[in-house]
Amino acid sequence: MTEFVGKQKVFQSWVREKLFLGMNLKAYLKNLIKPFNIVAGIIVLVGLPFIVMRYAQGLGAVTHASQDQPWSLFLSWGLFTGVPLAATGYIMASAVYIFGQKQYHPMVRPAVLTGFIGYFFAVMFLLVDLGRPWRLPYPMISSFGTASVLFLVAWHVALYLSTQFVEFCPAVFEWLGANRFRRWAIAVTVGATIFGVILSTLHQSALGALFLLAPGKLHPLWYSEFIPLFFFVSSIFAGLSMIIAESTLTSRFLKHRYSPGYLARLPDLTLGLGKAASFVLFTYFGLKIVGLAHGHQWDLLSTTYGRWFLVELLGFVLLPSFLFAWGVRSRSVGLVRFTAFFTILGIAVNRLNVSLFALNWKLPHRVFFYWKEFIVVIAIITIEILVYRWIVNRLPVYREHPGYRESEFEESFQTSKAIL
Amino acid sequence: MKISRRRFFKIAAAAGGAGILGKSKPARGVEQFTGWPDRFGVLTDLTRCVGCRSCEAACNEINKLPQPKVPFEDRSVLEKERRASAEYYTYVNRYADPKNKGQWVYRKAQCNHCDEPACASACLVKALTKTPEGPVIWNEKVCIGCRYCMTACPFYVPAYEYSNAFSPNLVKCTMCYDTRTSKGGIPACVEACPMEAMTFGKRKDLIKVARKRIMDRPDKYTDHIYGEHEVGGTCWLYISGVPFEEVGLPTDVGTKPYPEFTRGFLSMVPAVLVVWPALLGGFYMFTKNREQETEEEEVIPEEKEEWS
Amino acid sequence: MNANTKGYRMFSRNFVSVMVCSVICLLALLYAFENGDVFSSEGESETLTLGTLAKVYQPARFSHDMHTLLTEDCSSCHHHTEGEPIPCSECHGAASAKDMGIAGLKEAYHGLCMGCHKKMETGPTGCTDCHAKQVTQSAPGKSKTPRAGPQTLTLSQLEQIYEPVSFAHEMHTLLAEDCAVCHHHSAAGQTPSCSTCHGAPFDPDNLNMPGLKGAYHLQCMDCHKEMETGPTGCTECHAKKVEKTEKAKAK
């Protein structure tokens, strides 16, 4: 009897420590009542009925996707924008583990987490948008349409999600105190990183390649043989900007979770990322010019769509490139951070253009937004933020776990030294 | 913990193998279509169509589609240009005849049953397939409802049952495959047409018939068989007395079969799967060696001291 | 030389002669058959049998003799040959012909014959000028006068869906001067019923020939449209049967 009570007590203390941040249930719930939580809670509560409606009454109840335009905001935002913004994982991991930029090591875990949560919720959006979401595994297990680019996307997102999870595992195992698993997870980090970069290259560009099948439907300024390359390169600076943005927000609102060392180095690291982003943005700008020349599309620039294209290209690509460069030169972390948010907006603009606005540009009557769709999207994004916060509050993401003071990087470095 | 070199390579190979899995033949769907020279088709002669909508009625009956709000005898629906819908497989539209003022030209629209369908190459679960008899059909058992086929189709043909929560179907003409053409019959709409505006037969024979009609009456027909080469060839062909853009048929779809558009990208996949690990592995070893060297330089003096 | 040898020699000599004679005869026969075209060199007019279209047309009458008088050079018709003219079917319609891009027999006949007739502006160029359409027993070959024929015709092929059509035949005979306006593609003076030639549609061998329903509608309504008179709506000629519509509504 005492043994059972003892085990129960152990379990209770585990729950209290791991899940309730060391507080008992009552104190924890009281702690939850904060302005941000209330607002987030309202948004989620408003959004949930619509999500239920989607499943109970069919897609038509919450979206105005039509026979002409089957893809609406769920995919335009959730998949096409969400995925490049979740490119943080492979960029940071490859920078640190493959290209040897050790100084960015503290940023790896948050980046991998952002990436994992991003892809996970991209899949959530997919589950909302698919006509038969319970058949999501079909391209993996049931019927293989290997001529389809979407088949590639499906496989790669599934594999990449697993890879990101494996890369994040060290943090999970540290939290759970599972040493052996943790060591295994660290040992496969380099392999997982390489695998992640391969997968990312392919599926980021594949998301663009999807539109290769719509030459008559996508406006010629956005349609190009180079779309896969455009999507891949833009995912790089999307990921960089997202890391800057995420670190900006968390260093402000979740400061207490940061290790002081990381917090101190953050401005320098931010500037470094800004430098990289500026460079990649400029390269992307060059690629876009090449694309214009290749397609002989200069005359299209004077049309309405042409002007919008110029806004996207000059305002959301060239301008951030200069702003980043200026911010780095003048060592203004604030400017770099602002530009990061601005770039994220630019990514959203580009992806929404390709998947929504410039698609079916020739059709006379089009409906883009439906307010119910909008609510569901906002609700899911809020849930995403809440999940991210929940994890960061408990797991050693922004700081090192006290039990594993020695940097995991040093350990993986030792391990890989043994291999080679 | 130290991992042996062997074990590391095993892990990497497993990872790489998993990545290559299922992608060994990237354009398999396209390669499978060998041509099927005896495939059937339908030739629609737009000079004969009078917009009576008997074809729509027959299609509705044979496919057990829901009864429309407006009966088929009612031709007032022709006043508005209709598009694909989840409630019907085919529809007739009315257009102003540019050659005769005040007169109308009618066009029946339905799936064109392309020889190399964009939808079939787009489908990631191979729910859409081109049959040897000619029709392109949809398999309800595997469709996941991603609607990529709808984005891919240049003719805006497939429609989706957005209002159906638990088994939303893709709605498009099947050329009566299950009920008729797979068993040697002819599609219901073709049979029903009083003016025999549609002719059912082998596609290669229909091309000859179309050419003959155009050649016999060059004043009556536009000198072009729509669907002969469009998007690589379709099994539903049109000949018309007026230019095809006047009857709502897109004339800018080109002659390149749509699966070709993504073939280039898909063939890049194996290349990346081979080059990237080598490239990235190389980078990794390069940076490791650089760091190892600096470490060794630190170690050696110590050792020397020990010896002396 | 002993008796056997002599006898053997005699036999062999005779045998050889017999063989030589047989071979010569055989060659002569073969030559005769080869060049013995279906056209004989006598004065009778020969008939050419058109195989695949025997269902549709009666045999064509071609006077070879008359044509030999028109030209001195046989190769005007027996083209692409030297020396002795060979029958058309030797090259046209042969199995290997298609590969070499040579026209089929029907195309060759029509191409050569009518091409020349058009060029010389003489000779038949219409279809039934050379070969009349096949006419069945039921055809009213008896009616020689254009204005004869049934007064009304009842067309009830789609009787499940539509009431029978009461077609005012006599009224139409007053409108058209020539029977061939409606009874087209028939030999002169013939007025076969529509179903003589128009049967089931979509015959793979004759795809361009409409079936009976299509023929009725195309013939009737095309004329009504062109003349801007006469019924063109569906139920103007045949009312819909009520039971069918009600059955459909009950579904």
Side-chain angles (χ1 to χ4, degrees):
Chain A
M1 175 62 183
T2 37
E3 211 180 290
F4 173 74
V5 171
K7 276 197 175 149
Q8 199 181 36
K9 279 224 164 82
V10 168
F11 176 70
Q12 273 177 344
S13 81
W14 186 91
V15 165
R16 195 170 52 234
E17 199 194 302
K18 296 287 182 207
L19 301 179
F20 294 148
L21 301 173
M23 298 176 257
N24 63 26
L25 185 60
K26 237 187 186 169
Y28 177 68
L29 289 174
K30 212 169 159 194
N31 178 54
L32 280 180
I33 301 174
K34 272 185 268 206
F36 177 78
N37 290 349
I38 292 173
V39 171
I42 292 174
I43 294 174
V44 173
L45 281 173
V46 167
L48 273 176
F50 290 105
I51 297 176
V52 171
M53 206 192 296
R54 176 261 170 275
Y55 288 110
Q57 294 175 0
L59 265 173
V62 293
T63 169
H64 269 168
S66 66
Q67 314 300 1
D68 289 329
Q69 186 123 341
W71 287 344
S72 61
L73 203 60
F74 292 143
L75 283 180
S76 292
W77 173 268
L79 190 72
F80 290 113
T81 314
V83 167
L85 291 181
T88 54
Y90 86 89
I91 290 169
M92 262 318 42
S94 59
V96 172
Y97 295 127
I98 296 178
F99 298 109
Q101 303 296 308
K102 284 191 288 181
Q103 66 272 33
Y104 290 100
H105 179 248
M107 277 185 155
V108 174
R109 265 194 196 167
V112 170
L113 179 64
T114 312
F116 176 68
I117 299 288
Y119 273 87
F120 188 79
F121 277 86
V123 175
M124 291 297 114
F125 272 110
L126 209 55
L127 286 174
V128 170
D129 186 79
L130 280 181
R132 298 185 202 218
W134 55 93
R135 290 187 179 178
L136 183 71
Y138 272 38
M140 263 68 78
I141 57 172
S142 171
S143 184
F144 307 130
T146 48
S148 169
V149 176
L150 197 57
F151 178 76
L152 200 93
V153 174
W155 266 87
H156 282 190
V157 170
L159 287 172
Y160 190 64
L161 203 58
S162 328
T163 312
Q164 289 274 267
F165 182 68
V166 164
E167 284 184 58
F168 191 64
C169 268
V172 177
F173 295 135
E174 279 170 25
W175 179 57
L176 294 173
N179 287 339
R180 272 180 77 191
F181 290 116
R182 179 184 167 271
R183 262 179 257 142
W184 165 85
I186 286 174
V188 297
T189 297
V190 177
T193 307
I194 293 180
F195 193 46
V197 177
I198 296 169
L199 291 173
S200 289
T201 314
L202 288 170
H203 72 244
Q204 294 283 357
S205 48
L207 281 175
L210 285 178
F211 295 98
L212 288 173
L213 265 187
K217 295 188 184 182
L218 185 57
H219 190 279
L221 280 172
W222 280 270
Y223 183 87
S224 163
E225 290 155 8
F226 299 125
I227 273 192
L229 192 60
F230 291 158
F231 269 53
F232 173 58
V233 174
S234 54
S235 78
I236 298 177
F237 62 75
L240 289 168
S241 306
M242 193 62 182
I243 299 169
I244 299 174
E246 161 258 305
S247 63
T248 308
L249 291 171
T250 48
S251 64
R252 169 107 191 267
F253 298 111
L254 291 169
K255 210 188 242 180
H256 47 289
R257 300 292 169 200
Y258 270 70
S259 73
Y262 181 25
L263 210 54
R265 283 157 65 189
L266 192 58
D268 278 330
L269 297 177
T270 309
L271 289 177
L273 289 176
K275 207 192 315 184
S278 167
F279 184 63
V280 180
L281 274 162
F282 196 71
T283 312
Y284 180 70
F285 177 75
L287 278 173
K288 280 269 178 163
I289 298 290
V290 168
L292 276 178
H294 185 81
H296 303 291
Q297 289 158 352
W298 305 107
D299 51 328
L300 288 172
L301 291 174
S302 52
T303 62
T304 324
Y305 275 100
R307 278 183 275 253
W308 180 233
F309 178 80
L310 283 173
V311 167
E312 185 199 304
L313 185 64
L314 299 175
F316 288 104
V317 176
L318 197 60
L319 181 64
S321 176
F322 286 146
L323 288 178
F324 270 126
W326 190 9
V328 168
R329 276 209 76 178
S330 55
R331 298 197 67 81
S332 163
V333 184
L335 181 59
V336 170
R337 284 176 166 162
F338 165 77
T339 315
F341 282 101
F342 190 66
T343 311
I344 291 173
L345 184 64
I347 288 286
V349 164
N350 171 257
R351 298 304 198 260
L352 283 171
N353 277 343
V354 173
S355 62
L356 204 59
F357 299 130
L359 192 61
N360 293 316
W361 64 283
K362 282 189 231 171
L363 290 185
H365 312 291
R366 290 196 286 160
V367 178
F368 296 127
F369 296 123
Y370 190 33
W371 59 273
K372 291 185 189 171
E373 241 169 38
F374 208 59
I375 290 182
V376 172
V377 169
I378 299 285
I380 296 181
I381 294 175
T382 311
I383 296 174
E384 196 173 336
I385 295 174
L386 290 173
V387 168
Y388 186 85
R389 196 184 63 167
W390 191 94
I391 295 178
V392 167
N393 275 338
R394 286 156 187 76
L395 274 71
V397 177
Y398 289 104
R399 57 186 161 74
E400 283 164 351
H401 194 283
Y404 304 94
R405 266 298 155 194
E406 184 191 342
S407 163
E408 120 201 344
F409 174 70
E410 293 305 312
E411 201 174 320
S412 71
F413 173 65
Q414 299 290 335
T415 321
S416 18
K417 238 177 58 175
I419 295 165
L420 299 157
Chain B
M1 181 180 112
K2 292 183 182 177
I3 298 184
S4 70
R5 194 171 302 173
R6 198 178 290 166
R7 191 141 175 255
F8 172 76
F9 281 122
K10 272 192 199 165
I11 295 169
I20 297 169
L21 184 75
K23 285 181 269 318
S24 50
K25 288 182 188 171
R28 225 229 213 117
V30 176
E31 286 166 19
Q32 272 182 349
F33 178 71
T34 49
W36 288 311
D38 286 335
R39 64 194 181 283
F40 292 105
V42 175
L43 173 66
T44 308
D45 190 334
L46 294 180
T47 60
R48 296 187 184 181
C49 180
V50 291
C52 68
R53 301 181 70 207
S54 304
C55 50
E56 292 186 43
C59 175
N60 179 285
E61 191 181 320
I62 199 162
N63 292 301
K64 300 192 181 47
L65 296 176
Q67 283 298 307
K69 300 177 206 92
V70 177
F72 291 106
E73 288 84 33
D74 189 340
R75 299 176 69 197
S76 62
V77 297
L78 296 170
E79 282 159 28
K80 228 172 69 163
E81 189 179 353
R82 289 182 286 170
R83 295 182 72 83
S85 153
E87 277 150 32
Y88 44 75
Y89 289 5
T90 182
Y91 53 97
V92 179
N93 276 339
R94 187 176 75 175
Y95 301 90
D97 187 347
K99 284 177 13 186
N100 304 305
K101 273 219 183 90
Q103 303 260 335
W104 302 108
V105 175
Y106 302 88
R107 187 212 16 139
K108 175 182 183 295
Q110 71 298 304
C111 176
N112 288 330
H113 300 281
C114 304
D115 284 339
E116 290 188 64
C119 60
S121 92
C123 184
L124 78 172
V125 283
K126 246 203 226 151
L128 287 153
T129 46
K130 173 84 176 170
T131 58
E133 290 85 350
V136 176
I137 54 171
W138 175 74
N139 182 0
E140 197 240 334
K141 292 199 186 75
V142 291
C143 175
I144 68 172
C146 72
R147 311 188 302 286
Y148 186 26
C149 53
M150 295 169 71
T151 306
C153 177
F155 304 107
Y156 293 96
V157 161
Y160 200 70
E161 288 181 345
Y162 289 109
S163 52
N164 189 332
F166 301 110
S167 58
N169 293 321
L170 193 76
V171 175
K172 78 167 193 75
C173 161
T174 57
M175 218 197 267
C176 291
Y177 185 74
D178 293 325
T179 46
R180 300 223 174 168
T181 48
S182 61
K183 304 170 193 162
I186 59 171
C189 56
V190 177
E191 196 181 45
C193 179
M195 300 296 286
E196 243 177 78
M198 291 175 277
T199 311
F200 179 76
K202 292 201 179 142
R203 184 181 185 271
K204 53 182 185 188
D205 295 334
L206 292 174
I207 298 273
K208 292 181 198 151
V209 169
R211 287 202 187 125
K212 183 187 193 310
R213 285 192 201 172
I214 295 172
M215 205 159 62
D216 284 345
R217 292 291 304 276
D219 54 314
K220 193 175 170 196
Y221 293 100
T222 318
D223 185 14
H224 182 66
I225 306 171
Y226 190 90
E228 187 181 3
H229 299 298
E230 272 77 2
V231 298
T234 65
C235 277
W236 206 287
L237 306 161
Y238 287 92
I239 47 178
S240 161
V242 302
F244 291 99
E245 355 12 300
E246 306 285 346
V247 288
L249 282 168
T251 47
D252 57 350
V253 288
T255 56
K256 186 168 162 184
Y258 266 52
E260 294 286 307
F261 283 108
T262 50
R263 207 175 198 163
F265 172 75
L266 287 172
S267 52
M268 207 185 69
V269 172
V272 171
L273 287 172
V274 169
V275 173
W276 256 231
L279 207 64
L280 296 167
F283 267 118
Y284 173 68
M285 288 198 209
F286 176 70
T287 38
K288 281 293 139 276
N289 279 341
R290 217 176 38 186
E291 281 159 3
Q292 250 181 346
E293 273 171 24
T294 43
E295 267 204 32
E296 275 167 12
E297 279 169 21
E298 291 164 27
V299 166
I300 288 167
E302 279 182 276
E303 285 179 2
K304 270 194 176 157
E305 273 180 47
E306 274 182 14
W307 287 348
S308 63
Chain C
M1 199 192 295
N2 58 11
N4 280 341
T5 326
K6 200 175 174 190
Y8 176 68
R9 261 202 203 148
M10 264 176 71
F11 173 72
S12 7
R13 224 178 289 141
N14 283 339
F15 178 71
V16 168
S17 336
V18 167
M19 283 316 295
V20 168
C21 290
S22 315
V23 168
I24 291 172
C25 289
L26 200 65
L27 284 170
L29 269 171
L30 280 173
Y31 180 83
F33 273 126
E34 283 265 20
N35 291 294
D37 208 51
V38 285
F39 295 108
S40 78
S41 48
E42 279 152 37
E44 315 164 33
S45 45
E46 302 299 328
T47 46
L48 210 60
T49 312
L50 309 172
T52 50
L53 286 172
K55 298 184 276 187
V56 190
Y57 291 106
Q58 294 178 358
R61 292 167 122 47
F62 173 63
S63 172
H64 185 258
D65 271 359
M66 186 272 276
H67 284 82
T68 54
L69 296 171
L70 292 173
T71 172
E72 284 162 25
D73 189 8
C74 297
S75 63
S76 323
C77 294
H78 296 276
H79 56 191
H80 303 307
T81 56
E82 276 174 31
E84 213 46 52
I86 56 174
C88 310
S89 52
E90 282 284 297
C91 298
H92 295 279
S96 58
K98 270 196 190 138
D99 302 323
M100 301 200 296
I102 296 176
L105 190 60
K106 178 173 75 169
E107 197 183 324
Y109 279 139
H110 288 94
L112 194 77
C113 307
M114 306 225 292
C116 192
H117 289 174
K118 281 190 191 157
K119 197 163 135 190
M120 304 197 65
E121 290 178 31
T122 183
T125 48
C127 303
T128 45
D129 293 343
C130 288
H131 39 52
K133 265 276 174 85
Q134 282 283 21
V135 161
T136 58
Q137 299 302 334
S138 60
K142 343 159 193 169
S143 49
K144 297 280 190 250
T145 47
R147 304 251 180 258
Q151 192 182 36
T152 53
L153 280 169
T154 307
L155 312 168
S156 53
Q157 280 82 0
L158 278 174
E159 54 195 352
Q160 294 113 331
I161 319 168
Y162 291 103
E163 303 285 349
V165 177
S166 184
F167 171 55
H169 184 257
E170 192 171 328
M171 185 269 281
H172 284 79
T173 60
L174 297 168
L175 288 171
E177 286 168 14
D178 186 7
C179 294
V181 169
C182 293
H183 295 277
H184 55 191
H185 302 309
S186 321
Q190 303 271 2
T191 50
S193 70
C194 307
S195 52
T196 310
C197 302
H198 296 280
F202 317 128
D203 175 10
D205 294 322
N206 204 358
L207 274 178
N208 209 20
M209 168 82 88
L212 188 59
K213 178 176 74 171
Y216 278 142
H217 289 99
L218 284 166
Q219 188 76 309
C220 310
M221 303 227 294
D222 269 355
C223 192
H224 290 174
K225 267 201 277 185
E226 206 179 300
M227 306 196 68
E228 288 177 21
T229 182
T232 48
C234 304
T235 45
E236 290 175 58
C237 284
H238 38 54
K240 258 247 169 110
K241 274 205 168 162
V242 184
E243 311 102 73
K244 180 75 182 179
T245 344
E246 278 187 2
K247 231 194 266 177
K249 280 189 185 157
K251 270 188 199 166

